[in-house]
Amino acid sequence: MHGQTIAGVDLAWMGTRNPTAIAVGKVEPCGVELLSILKGLYGTKSVLNALDGIRDLHGVAIDGPLIIKNRTGQRDCERQIGVAYGGRKASCHTSNLDKFPNAAGVQLSSHLAEAGFQHLAPAHSKWQLECYPHPALIEIFGLSERLAYKKGTAAQKRSGQLELSSLITSLAASSALRLLVPSEFHIYFHPGRINTLKGAQLKENEDVLDAIVCMYIGALYQSGQNQRVFGAAHDGYIYVPATRCI
């Protein structure tokens, strides 16, 4: 089913100091087109309001734990991701009720469920899914290990973002699902600009790139590409696309 508006959410789920970014796109027969970027969203309420304001929203892919029922330790899906991708440096953060008794992702997921977005629902229905960019990028681009763009010095983060932005840009020629990025958004991928970023601006650009990755993951789900689901919806899951796109 095509012609559906979807959103990818890079959720600030490990605290309230960092902002959330959302990438909105539309899945069409020719691919998925980036429509808008919503950034600098602080707090769960602002994220909810932003999603509620997206017209005809059909699906949401979120980087952040949406279902947490374990009191301690890791969720089963997190352990399974560690087994499958730990050797490629793409294990998960640990989420449980002791660490996150009022997690932003759980609040967001509950709000979406009340609006009719069901976990891993068929593409013809409104859906929501939890995703994790690191293993998704490994699968989409056939990487040998996690792409390092989140940690290290500012120079190391810039280098990682340059690599990530180049990979995302290459999806314009994907034989699986093309990513169409209008010129107004090219600024987030521009090497000259990325090389000047530091501090909050560097983090903001990372958030936007992550949101676009989440949106693309959601587009793969919407278009019925191969997939693998770690865990289960009753106690937590992580969706990973299983399609090489480049």
Side-chain angles (χ1 to χ4, degrees), residues 5-10 20-26 33-39 41 51 54 57 59-61 207-216:
T5 299
I6 64 169
V9 182
D10 177 45
T20 288
I22 299 174
V24 182
K26 178 161 283 190
E33 180 179 6
L34 180 61
L35 299 179
S36 64
I37 296 291
L38 309 173
K39 60 184 181 179
L41 303 171
L51 289 173
I54 300 171
L57 184 60
V60 188
D207 294 343
V208 170
L209 294 178
D210 273 337
I212 293 171
V213 170
C214 291
M215 184 203 71
Y216 189 78

Coordinates of all heavy atoms in Angstrom, one line a residue, residues 5-10 20-26 33-39 41 51 54 57 59-61 207-216:
T5 N 1.6 8.7 4.6 CA 2.5 9.5 5.4 C 3.0 8.8 6.6 O 2.2 8.3 7.4 CB 1.7 10.8 5.8 OG1 1.3 11.5 4.6 CG2 2.6 11.7 6.6
I6 N 4.3 8.8 6.8 CA 4.9 8.2 8.0 C 5.8 9.1 8.6 O 6.2 10.2 8.1 CB 5.6 6.9 7.5 CG1 6.8 7.2 6.6 CG2 4.6 5.9 6.9 CD1 7.7 6.0 6.4
A7 N 6.2 8.8 9.9 CA 7.2 9.6 10.6 C 8.2 8.7 11.2 O 8.0 7.6 11.7 CB 6.5 10.4 11.7
G8 N 9.5 9.2 11.3 CA 10.5 8.6 12.0 C 10.9 9.5 13.2 O 11.1 10.7 13.0
V9 N 11.0 8.9 14.4 CA 11.2 9.7 15.6 C 12.5 9.3 16.3 O 12.7 8.1 16.7 CB 10.1 9.5 16.6 CG1 10.3 10.3 17.8 CG2 8.7 9.8 15.9
D10 N 13.5 10.2 16.3 CA 14.7 10.0 17.1 C 14.4 10.5 18.5 O 14.5 11.7 18.8 CB 15.9 10.7 16.5 CG 17.1 10.6 17.4 OD1 17.4 9.5 17.8 OD2 17.8 11.6 17.6
T20 N 14.2 15.9 20.9 CA 13.7 14.9 19.9 C 13.6 15.5 18.5 O 13.3 16.7 18.4 CB 12.4 14.3 20.4 OG1 12.6 13.5 21.5 CG2 11.7 13.5 19.3
A21 N 13.9 14.7 17.5 CA 13.7 15.1 16.1 C 12.8 14.1 15.4 O 12.8 12.9 15.7 CB 15.1 15.2 15.4
I22 N 12.0 14.7 14.5 CA 11.0 13.8 13.7 C 11.2 14.1 12.3 O 11.3 15.3 11.9 CB 9.6 14.1 14.2 CG1 9.4 13.8 15.6 CG2 8.6 13.4 13.3 CD1 8.0 14.2 16.1
A23 N 11.3 13.1 11.5 CA 11.3 13.2 10.0 C 10.0 12.7 9.5 O 9.6 11.6 9.8 CB 12.5 12.5 9.4
V24 N 9.4 13.5 8.6 CA 8.1 13.1 8.1 C 8.3 12.8 6.6 O 9.0 13.5 5.9 CB 7.0 14.2 8.2 CG1 5.7 13.8 7.7 CG2 6.9 14.6 9.7
G25 N 7.7 11.7 6.1 CA 7.8 11.3 4.7 C 6.6 10.7 4.2 O 5.6 10.4 4.9
K26 N 6.6 10.5 2.9 CA 5.4 9.9 2.2 C 5.9 8.7 1.4 O 6.9 8.9 0.5 CB 4.6 10.9 1.4 CG 3.5 10.2 0.6 CD 2.4 11.2 0.2 CE 1.5 11.7 1.3 NZ 0.4 12.4 0.8
E33 N 9.6 9.9 0.0 CA 10.0 11.3 -0.1 C 10.0 12.0 1.3 O 9.0 11.9 2.0 CB 9.1 12.1 -1.1 CG 9.6 13.6 -1.2 CD 8.7 14.3 -2.2 OE1 7.7 13.8 -2.7 OE2 9.1 15.5 -2.5
L34 N 11.1 12.6 1.6 CA 11.2 13.4 2.9 C 10.3 14.7 2.7 O 10.5 15.5 1.8 CB 12.6 13.8 3.2 CG 12.9 14.6 4.4 CD1 12.4 13.8 5.7 CD2 14.4 14.9 4.5
L35 N 9.4 14.9 3.6 CA 8.5 16.0 3.5 C 8.8 17.1 4.4 O 8.7 18.3 4.1 CB 7.0 15.6 3.8 CG 6.4 14.5 2.9 CD1 5.0 14.2 3.3 CD2 6.4 15.0 1.4
S36 N 9.2 16.8 5.7 CA 9.5 17.8 6.6 C 10.4 17.3 7.8 O 10.4 16.1 8.0 CB 8.2 18.5 7.2 OG 7.5 17.5 7.9
I37 N 11.0 18.2 8.5 CA 11.8 17.9 9.6 C 11.3 18.7 10.8 O 11.2 20.0 10.7 CB 13.3 18.2 9.4 CG1 13.9 17.4 8.3 CG2 14.1 18.1 10.7 CD1 14.0 15.9 8.6
L38 N 11.0 18.1 11.9 CA 10.6 18.7 13.1 C 11.7 18.5 14.1 O 12.0 17.3 14.5 CB 9.2 18.2 13.6 CG 8.1 18.1 12.6 CD1 6.9 17.4 13.1 CD2 7.8 19.5 12.1
K39 N 12.3 19.5 14.6 CA 13.5 19.3 15.5 C 13.4 20.2 16.7 O 12.5 21.1 16.8 CB 14.8 19.6 14.8 CG 14.9 21.0 14.2 CD 16.1 21.2 13.4 CE 16.2 22.6 12.8 NZ 17.5 22.8 12.0
L41 N 12.5 19.4 19.8 CA 11.3 19.1 20.6 C 11.7 18.6 22.0 O 12.2 17.5 22.1 CB 10.4 18.1 19.9 CG 10.0 18.4 18.4 CD1 9.4 17.2 17.8 CD2 9.1 19.6 18.4
L51 N 3.5 15.1 16.6 CA 2.9 13.9 15.9 C 1.4 14.1 15.6 O 0.9 13.8 14.5 CB 3.1 12.6 16.7 CG 4.6 12.1 16.7 CD1 4.7 10.9 17.7 CD2 5.1 11.7 15.3
I54 N 0.6 16.1 12.5 CA 1.0 15.6 11.2 C -0.3 15.1 10.5 O -0.9 14.1 11.0 CB 2.0 14.5 11.2 CG1 3.3 15.1 11.9 CG2 2.4 14.0 9.8 CD1 4.4 14.0 12.2
L57 N -1.4 11.0 9.3 CA -0.3 10.1 9.7 C -0.7 8.7 9.7 O -1.8 8.4 10.3 CB 0.3 10.6 11.0 CG 1.5 9.8 11.6 CD1 2.7 10.0 10.7 CD2 1.8 10.3 13.0
G59 N 1.8 5.8 10.0 CA 2.7 4.9 10.7 C 3.9 5.7 11.3 O 4.3 6.8 10.8
V60 N 4.4 5.2 12.4 CA 5.5 5.9 13.2 C 6.5 4.9 13.6 O 6.2 3.9 14.2 CB 4.9 6.6 14.4 CG1 6.0 7.4 15.1 CG2 3.7 7.4 14.1
A61 N 7.8 5.1 13.2 CA 8.9 4.3 13.6 C 9.7 5.1 14.6 O 10.2 6.2 14.3 CB 9.8 3.9 12.4
D207 N 20.7 14.2 15.4 CA 19.3 13.9 15.7 C 18.5 13.8 14.4 O 17.7 12.9 14.2 CB 18.7 14.9 16.6 CG 19.2 14.9 18.0 OD1 19.9 13.9 18.4 OD2 19.0 15.9 18.7
V208 N 18.7 14.8 13.5 CA 18.0 14.9 12.2 C 18.3 13.7 11.4 O 17.4 13.0 10.8 CB 18.3 16.2 11.5 CG1 17.7 16.2 10.1 CG2 17.7 17.4 12.2
L209 N 19.6 13.4 11.3 CA 20.0 12.2 10.5 C 19.4 10.9 11.0 O 18.9 10.1 10.3 CB 21.5 12.1 10.4 CG 22.3 13.2 9.7 CD1 23.8 13.0 9.8 CD2 21.9 13.3 8.2
D210 N 19.4 10.8 12.3 CA 18.8 9.6 13.0 C 17.3 9.5 12.7 O 16.7 8.5 12.4 CB 19.0 9.6 14.5 CG 20.3 9.0 14.9 OD1 20.9 8.2 14.1 OD2 20.8 9.3 16.0
A211 N 16.6 10.7 12.7 CA 15.2 10.7 12.4 C 14.9 10.3 11.0 O 13.9 9.6 10.7 CB 14.6 12.1 12.7
I212 N 15.8 10.7 10.1 CA 15.6 10.3 8.7 C 15.8 8.8 8.5 O 15.1 8.1 7.8 CB 16.6 11.1 7.8 CG1 16.2 12.6 7.8 CG2 16.6 10.6 6.4 CD1 17.2 13.5 7.1
V213 N 16.8 8.3 9.2 CA 17.0 6.8 9.2 C 15.8 6.1 9.7 O 15.3 5.1 9.2 CB 18.3 6.4 10.1 CG1 18.4 4.9 10.2 CG2 19.5 7.0 9.4
C214 N 15.2 6.6 10.9 CA 14.0 6.0 11.4 C 12.9 6.0 10.4 O 12.1 5.1 10.2 CB 13.6 6.6 12.7 SG 14.7 6.3 14.1
M215 N 12.7 7.2 9.7 CA 11.7 7.3 8.7 C 11.9 6.3 7.6 O 10.9 5.7 7.1 CB 11.7 8.7 8.1 CG 10.5 9.0 7.2 SD 10.9 10.3 6.0 CE 12.2 9.6 5.0
Y216 N 13.1 6.1 7.2 CA 13.4 5.1 6.1 C 13.1 3.7 6.6 O 12.6 2.9 5.8 CB 14.8 5.3 5.6 CG 15.2 4.5 4.4 CD1 14.8 5.0 3.1 CD2 15.8 3.3 4.5 CE1 15.1 4.2 2.0 CE2 16.1 2.5 3.3 CZ 15.7 3.0 2.1 OH 16.0 2.3 0.9

